Amino acid sequence: MLIVIALGGNALLQRSEPLESELQRKNVKLTAKAIAELAREHQVVVCHGNGPQVGLLALQNEAYTKVKPYPLDVLDAESQGMIGYLIQQELGNQLPDKPAVTLLTQVLVDKNDPAFRAPSKPIGPVYDQAQAEAVRAKRGWDIAPDGDYWRRVVPSPQPQEIIELNIAKQLLDAGVTIVFGGGGGITEVRTDENKLEGEEAVIDKDNTAALIAEKLGADALVILTDVEAACVNWGKPEQKSIKTASPQALLDMDFAKGSMGPKITAASRFAVNTGKFAAIGKLSCLKEIISGTTGTHIVADAKEVSYY
């Protein structure tokens, strides 16, 4: 099987952890161990998030005032290299006989996407409200609530095309495990002269992973997060974990827009467009998700919603 794995931010950092290199290394070791168990039996493509890291790079970028701050597309590329290096190194340590490589990935978006006028993608560290207001006043950034905290938000357009897709296919044909589409990809638009040009945005990695999985002909898309399954009535006494559902059944439910909602949308899109299954679940349960014993499975022809 060819499986595309979308890694949530918890694969690198827990929400309460500082953005430190050693903590990310510690978390990546656990992540790579889980992925390696799967990669021994299947072809694997890894797509990771970069929200905390690209936000940190932006803060570091702003701190040195002798040059103009680098734009987000350059910081996207930096975060792809940084995170990809950690994952690639640890996958190599786990599977020394199976090559792994990070492929710097450009992703084409529509320059007229309305997301450019409505920033929504949280990046960087979390702030309390007073800190958020101070950051907004000092830097002129868009700030929005993120759970109990506040974070910087930037445009997050929909991915339209993966520029390096054919290179990825060649690497997979050669038996290479690839880290691909990291951070949702480096945001690109086409100019009137049909040239690629970077844009100030961070694409949602789940949307990019779904597009990559579809275009590569993957057998499954697995979106990993910090919960064992998607739930109805989240946080209430009647909360229930969803085992299996059709895409439409899930899209008709109400999920948090800043967390589970985008994962449901991306996974459902893959299931509808390909007729294959997508799943959402916990990183530590990756093999069990593939075997169907845990996680939420989105299946195009599911007749009813089942629960654990």
Side-chain angles (χ1 to χ4, degrees), residues 11 35 45 67 69 80 121 152 184 216 223 233 235-236 250 256 294 296 306-308:
I35 294 172
V45 175
V67 298
Q80 275 195 16
K121 173 69 175 176
R152 180 188 178 188
L216 287 177
I223 298 177
N233 302 313
K236 299 177 181 178
L250 289 175
T294 189
T296 295
S306 63
Y307 299 92
Y308 286 99

Short mmCIF file of all heavy atoms in Angstrom, two decimals, residues 11 35 45 67 69 80 121 152 184 216 223 233 235-236 250 256 294 296 306-308:
data_model
loop_
_atom_site.label_atom_id
_atom_site.label_comp_id
_atom_site.label_asym_id
_atom_site.label_seq_id
_atom_site.Cartn_x
_atom_site.Cartn_y
_atom_site.Cartn_z
N ALA A 11 3.21 16.15 16.59
CA ALA A 11 4.30 15.26 16.22
C ALA A 11 5.66 15.89 16.51
O ALA A 11 6.66 15.20 16.64
CB ALA A 11 4.22 14.91 14.73
N ILE A 35 6.19 5.79 12.44
CA ILE A 35 6.14 5.75 10.97
C ILE A 35 6.98 4.60 10.44
O ILE A 35 6.61 3.93 9.47
CB ILE A 35 6.62 7.10 10.40
CG1 ILE A 35 5.62 8.21 10.76
CG2 ILE A 35 6.77 7.02 8.88
CD1 ILE A 35 6.10 9.59 10.40
N VAL A 45 4.53 8.32 2.44
CA VAL A 45 4.82 9.74 2.19
C VAL A 45 4.41 10.49 3.45
O VAL A 45 3.30 10.30 3.96
CB VAL A 45 4.04 10.27 0.98
CG1 VAL A 45 4.24 11.77 0.81
CG2 VAL A 45 4.44 9.52 -0.29
N VAL A 67 18.08 44.32 8.05
CA VAL A 67 17.61 43.92 6.73
C VAL A 67 16.09 43.81 6.78
O VAL A 67 15.51 43.64 7.86
CB VAL A 67 18.21 42.57 6.27
CG1 VAL A 67 19.72 42.67 6.15
CG2 VAL A 67 17.84 41.46 7.24
N PRO A 69 12.55 42.08 6.67
CA PRO A 69 12.13 40.72 7.02
C PRO A 69 11.91 39.87 5.77
O PRO A 69 11.40 40.35 4.75
CB PRO A 69 10.81 40.93 7.77
CG PRO A 69 10.88 42.33 8.28
CD PRO A 69 11.64 43.10 7.24
N GLN A 80 10.44 23.88 6.01
CA GLN A 80 10.45 22.56 5.36
C GLN A 80 11.80 21.88 5.54
O GLN A 80 11.86 20.69 5.87
CB GLN A 80 10.18 22.71 3.85
CG GLN A 80 8.73 22.76 3.47
CD GLN A 80 8.55 22.54 1.97
OE1 GLN A 80 9.44 22.08 1.27
NE2 GLN A 80 7.38 22.90 1.49
N LYS A 121 -5.01 31.15 9.17
CA LYS A 121 -4.10 30.08 9.57
C LYS A 121 -3.24 30.51 10.76
O LYS A 121 -2.43 31.43 10.65
CB LYS A 121 -3.19 29.70 8.39
CG LYS A 121 -2.10 28.71 8.72
CD LYS A 121 -2.65 27.34 9.01
CE LYS A 121 -1.52 26.33 9.21
NZ LYS A 121 -2.05 25.01 9.60
N ARG A 152 -0.99 34.60 15.98
CA ARG A 152 -0.95 35.29 14.70
C ARG A 152 -1.66 34.43 13.65
O ARG A 152 -1.52 33.20 13.66
CB ARG A 152 0.49 35.53 14.27
CG ARG A 152 0.61 36.26 12.93
CD ARG A 152 2.04 36.31 12.45
NE ARG A 152 2.11 36.96 11.15
CZ ARG A 152 3.21 37.04 10.39
NH1 ARG A 152 4.34 36.49 10.81
NH2 ARG A 152 3.18 37.66 9.22
N GLY A 184 2.43 22.29 4.34
CA GLY A 184 1.45 22.61 3.30
C GLY A 184 2.08 23.02 1.99
O GLY A 184 1.39 23.23 0.99
N LEU A 216 -1.02 11.19 -6.22
CA LEU A 216 -0.08 10.06 -6.25
C LEU A 216 -0.79 8.72 -6.38
O LEU A 216 -0.14 7.70 -6.55
CB LEU A 216 0.78 10.06 -4.98
CG LEU A 216 1.86 11.13 -4.84
CD1 LEU A 216 2.56 11.01 -3.49
CD2 LEU A 216 2.88 11.04 -5.98
N ILE A 223 -4.59 11.16 8.66
CA ILE A 223 -4.31 12.44 9.30
C ILE A 223 -4.16 12.19 10.79
O ILE A 223 -5.10 11.76 11.46
CB ILE A 223 -5.45 13.45 9.03
CG1 ILE A 223 -5.55 13.72 7.51
CG2 ILE A 223 -5.20 14.75 9.78
CD1 ILE A 223 -6.68 14.66 7.12
N ASN A 233 -20.32 15.83 19.88
CA ASN A 233 -20.56 16.40 21.22
C ASN A 233 -19.27 16.50 22.03
O ASN A 233 -19.21 16.12 23.20
CB ASN A 233 -21.59 15.56 21.98
CG ASN A 233 -22.91 15.45 21.26
OD1 ASN A 233 -23.45 16.46 20.79
ND2 ASN A 233 -23.42 14.24 21.12
N GLY A 235 -16.38 17.29 24.36
CA GLY A 235 -16.31 17.93 25.66
C GLY A 235 -17.57 17.88 26.49
O GLY A 235 -17.62 18.45 27.58
N LYS A 236 -18.58 17.17 26.01
CA LYS A 236 -19.85 17.07 26.73
C LYS A 236 -20.03 15.64 27.27
O LYS A 236 -19.36 14.71 26.80
CB LYS A 236 -21.02 17.43 25.81
CG LYS A 236 -20.95 18.85 25.27
CD LYS A 236 -22.10 19.14 24.31
CE LYS A 236 -22.01 20.55 23.76
NZ LYS A 236 -23.10 20.84 22.79
N LEU A 250 -20.14 13.12 7.75
CA LEU A 250 -19.23 13.91 8.59
C LEU A 250 -19.34 15.40 8.28
O LEU A 250 -19.32 16.24 9.18
CB LEU A 250 -17.80 13.44 8.39
CG LEU A 250 -17.45 12.08 8.99
CD1 LEU A 250 -16.03 11.69 8.61
CD2 LEU A 250 -17.60 12.09 10.50
N ALA A 256 -15.11 21.70 15.22
CA ALA A 256 -14.41 22.96 15.47
C ALA A 256 -13.65 23.41 14.23
O ALA A 256 -12.87 22.65 13.65
CB ALA A 256 -13.46 22.80 16.65
N THR A 294 -8.83 1.33 15.45
CA THR A 294 -9.00 2.60 16.13
C THR A 294 -9.01 3.72 15.09
O THR A 294 -8.75 3.48 13.91
CB THR A 294 -7.88 2.84 17.17
OG1 THR A 294 -8.21 3.99 17.96
CG2 THR A 294 -6.55 3.07 16.50
N THR A 296 -11.02 7.31 13.32
CA THR A 296 -12.22 7.54 12.53
C THR A 296 -11.91 7.26 11.07
O THR A 296 -10.99 7.85 10.49
CB THR A 296 -12.71 8.99 12.68
OG1 THR A 296 -13.11 9.21 14.03
CG2 THR A 296 -13.87 9.28 11.75
N SER A 306 -21.03 4.78 12.49
CA SER A 306 -20.86 3.85 13.60
C SER A 306 -19.93 4.48 14.63
O SER A 306 -19.09 5.33 14.30
CB SER A 306 -20.29 2.51 13.12
OG SER A 306 -19.00 2.67 12.58
N TYR A 307 -20.08 4.04 15.87
CA TYR A 307 -19.33 4.62 16.98
C TYR A 307 -18.62 3.53 17.75
O TYR A 307 -19.01 2.36 17.73
CB TYR A 307 -20.26 5.39 17.91
CG TYR A 307 -20.99 6.55 17.24
CD1 TYR A 307 -22.23 6.37 16.67
CD2 TYR A 307 -20.42 7.81 17.21
CE1 TYR A 307 -22.89 7.43 16.05
CE2 TYR A 307 -21.05 8.88 16.61
CZ TYR A 307 -22.30 8.68 16.02
OH TYR A 307 -22.94 9.73 15.40
N TYR A 308 -17.59 3.92 18.48
CA TYR A 308 -16.89 2.98 19.37
C TYR A 308 -17.69 2.79 20.66
O TYR A 308 -18.42 3.68 21.09
CB TYR A 308 -15.49 3.51 19.69
CG TYR A 308 -14.54 3.39 18.52
CD1 TYR A 308 -14.28 4.49 17.71
CD2 TYR A 308 -13.91 2.18 18.23
CE1 TYR A 308 -13.40 4.41 16.63
CE2 TYR A 308 -13.02 2.07 17.15
CZ TYR A 308 -12.78 3.20 16.36
OH TYR A 308 -11.93 3.09 15.29
#
